[in-house]
Amino acid sequence: MSTVTVVNRLEIRFADLKKAGRGALVTYTMAGDPDHETALAIMKGLPAAGADVIELGMPFSDPMADGPAIQLAAQRSLAAGGSLSRTLDTLRAFRETDHSTPVVLMGYYNPIYARGVDRFAAEAAAAGADGLIIVDLPPEEAPELTEHLNAHGIHLIFLTAPTTDARRLPAVLAQAGGFLYYVSITGITGTASADEAAVKDAVAALRKSTDLPIAVGFGIKTPAQAAAFARIGDAAVVGSAVVQTLADSLDEVRAATEKTVPAVLGFVATLAEGVRAARR
Amino acid sequence: MSHQLANSFRTGADERGHFGIHGGRFVAETLMPLILDVEKAYAEAQADPAFQAELDGYLKTYVGRPSPLYFAKRMTEELGGAKIYFKREDLNHTGAHKINNCMGQILLARRMGKKRIIAETGAGQHGVATATVCALFGLQCVIYMGATDIERQQPNVFRMKLLGAEVRPVTSGAATLKDAMNDALRDWVANVHDTYYLIGTVAGPHPYPTMVRDFQCVIGDETKVQMQEAEGRLPDSLIAAVGGGSNAMGLFHPFLDDASVRIIGVEAAGHGIDTGKHAASLTGGKPGVLHGNRTYLLQDEDGQIAEAHSISAGLDYPGIGPEHSWLHDMKRAEYVGITDDEALDAFHRFTRWEGIIPALESSHAIAQAIKMAPTLPQDHLMVVNLSGRGDKDVNTVARAMGVVL
Ligand SMILES: Cc1ncc(COP(=O)(O)O)c(C=O)c1O
């Protein structure tokens, strides 16, 4: 394994896509869901299926910002022995063959805090992470983590929401790196659908304050929506719909079937088709 | 005797809600602006004498405050040591201390113009108190309650429904208080514009731990005056059960700078700390982040939150308010564990001694008093917080006795 990353893969990928004149497809899948091997097989197949950036969920017992689809994914992962260590194993195994796809770890703060923020930052960087999204770590509490992430070249990616007003935005942007994640609905993951016109206005407003690429996520379910939002922002994030496709392929004891990997990758391919057709 | 401590223990939290390393605001960005709004509205209310006057009026004529400080003569004689007083929060309207906080927060929600109130509940006491104040002011009320707790607290579920609240069963996780709080937070994120989240204990993101403490401090403030009237001095020790920690903090906080007062919080030790089946976050947990604050939590090596266990639904929570975590770190308060069996034994003895059926939560504090009182001199003044009455628990107690009702 010889992955010496001088420049963060996120920057390279967004720059390349800008040249190519299209937005990115960002997919979210949960590490260890429904088991370690299946989740790894899915992750390895994502770049070929058309994912430009991979968000890898870190399972947590109390995912407060997630709807039922991702809650259940976390429960399946934990029941199958999923953990932060196993998530890093998954990433390490992925990096044995893929050196260019940016990977963003996404989850909640407690497992990272329990591990020790300095240790986590070093391990995540060594495993090949490019970014980190911690849903329950707002900018006010983030410096204790960003300090260590910066030392290891990992971007902390911040979320802004429809409720984030002009007074608050500078605080969010001050530590933001990689890209800015615009939460397109006020709600938890996988529930409402985002409203195109409202998102267009919000993204236009954000662009006045930041040069970071803007990813739109939380309410995107179909290839058509992914295409539309990847055109409005610089990336569309699809999570719950991917995870639900996986869930629908499981057997009655929620174990993987031979359909699981192809079902997920097939769905991602349709999303990618939509995003790639939506040139700007 | 009561010299002031050099550094005050009563000045926290800092402006971002930290008590030492604990507290703070660990929530999704969507909620941050709302929480800042609550903080601002609360600061304005605090500075407005009309707000306190309105609250005092309701506490007096609706809640029934002040609650008495009662000298438990028979219990004192039976145990043959410390002189034991009980702060009678069980006599409040709705039967527990929870209403003190609900009354304060509902007046705040009204000032903020919110029309829909959500809350989490474990034992159902906070749910009942919330449903009560919502009925009083004609506000829509949605209560999140774990399916397991709904099962073991049927009378309170029915009371909430009678009061017009919608009780939403929560089936995720172990389907208890922690999971109910997760779902309440999810509701809030999805209904940011019209909804106020009325948290029931001294936990959650800043300003909740501070605000709930302030509303519960009426317990300790009254106790101080009442003990002065009864004995002409400060008490020597305070004992209270700790779930999230609101009844305990309400009693403790006004005494934190009185160095002569020994302060003891009682956590639920369930089947015993060494069995792993307990709810004693300070004794058996370590600092972590959940539900908007950093505090001691029951968790595994990987930082996954563990299930708590207690016979008392109101103590069955894997965390604790951040200010308690800080008082624990600073060693200003002591925290001990009482098992299910010890609490049940105290429940029965106290009921027969004093003709008062205590809540199982409060029974944990009573059990600690039963342990300590005989070791103390007869001029030692002890105050135990009788945080609630036990009517809601008679089914649980019957089951533990093998009695079919
Ligand atoms: C009577 C009673 N005492 C104590 C508690 C525990 O909560 P806290 O620690 O916030 O006082 C509850 C919670 O439901 C309760 O109903």
Side-chain angles (χ1 to χ4, degrees), chain B residues 282-295:
Chain B
L282 291 178
T283 313
K286 59 175 187 169
V289 172
L290 180 72
H291 292 156
N293 60 143
R294 184 171 5 232
T295 193

Side-chain angles (χ1 to χ4, degrees), chain B residues 57-292:
Chain B
Y58 281 108
L59 289 178
K60 183 165 180 232
T61 61
Y62 187 77
V63 174
R65 302 209 70 91
S67 69
L69 184 69
Y70 166 70
F71 171 50
K73 187 159 177 289
R74 280 198 64 203
M75 179 176 174
T76 297
E77 284 169 7
E78 288 285 341
L79 295 172
K83 204 168 173 186
I84 308 169
Y85 283 83
F86 282 87
K87 182 61 174 164
R88 297 291 306 274
E89 294 300 301
D90 61 314
L91 293 177
N92 294 337
H93 180 43
T94 70
H97 67 291
K98 297 285 181 188
I99 190 95
N100 303 330
N101 165 48
C102 288
M103 194 54 84
Q105 286 198 55
I106 204 76
L107 296 181
L108 182 67
R110 272 160 56 85
R111 275 176 78 106
M112 295 176 74
K114 301 290 182 180
K115 298 277 181 270
R116 180 174 177 272
I117 307 296
I118 58 171
E120 82 296 335
T121 196
Q125 287 304 106
H126 175 59
V128 167
T130 304
T132 297
V133 295
C134 287
L136 177 63
F137 293 109
L139 297 171
Q140 188 192 346
C141 180
V142 175
I143 303 291
Y144 287 90
M145 186 168 186
T148 307
D149 290 337
I150 287 182
E151 196 53 47
R152 56 180 168 174
Q153 303 286 339
Q154 275 298 330
N156 271 346
V157 175
F158 190 58
R159 287 164 81 194
M160 286 184 262
K161 289 180 179 166
L162 287 175
L163 289 159
E166 180 194 340
V167 180
R168 292 198 186 160
V170 176
T171 52
S172 56
T176 59
L177 182 53
K178 146 178 108 74
D179 311 291
M181 197 149 178
N182 288 336
D183 266 15
L185 284 164
R186 291 178 184 123
D187 180 311
W188 204 19
V189 176
N191 297 286
V192 294
H193 296 296
D194 65 341
T195 297
Y196 181 89
Y197 182 14
L198 207 164
I199 294 182
T201 192
V202 285
H206 181 65
Y208 284 96
T210 308
M211 177 168 67
V212 177
R213 174 197 76 198
D214 293 347
F215 289 138
Q216 291 293 0
C217 271
V218 66
I219 301 172
D221 287 336
E222 285 177 8
T223 299
K224 219 171 199 180
V225 173
Q226 290 165 324
M227 188 56 98
Q228 190 65 35
E229 282 165 10
E231 301 277 357
R233 65 179 180 90
L234 286 169
D236 298 301
S237 60
L238 307 173
I239 302 179
V242 179
S246 68
N247 87 87
M249 193 55 73
L251 176 65
F252 296 169
H253 200 264
F255 293 96
L256 288 178
D257 288 342
D258 298 307
S260 67
V261 181
R262 201 175 148 194
I263 295 177
I264 299 137
V266 184
E267 295 191 295
H271 293 328
I273 301 289
D274 46 350
T275 67
K277 297 196 72 147
H278 61 81
S281 328
L282 291 178
T283 313
K286 59 175 187 169
V289 172
L290 180 72
H291 292 156

Side-chain angles (χ1 to χ4, degrees), chain A residues 149-166:
Chain A
L149 295 178
N150 289 343
H152 291 279
I154 297 179
H155 289 306
L156 190 56
I157 291 153
F158 281 90
L159 293 87
T160 69
T163 50
T164 308
D165 56 22

Side-chain angles (χ1 to χ4, degrees), chain A residues 106-119:
Chain A
M106 179 161 183
Y108 295 81
Y109 191 39
N110 199 54
I112 289 169
Y113 183 68
R115 196 170 192 84
V117 288
D118 44 353
R119 177 179 165 198

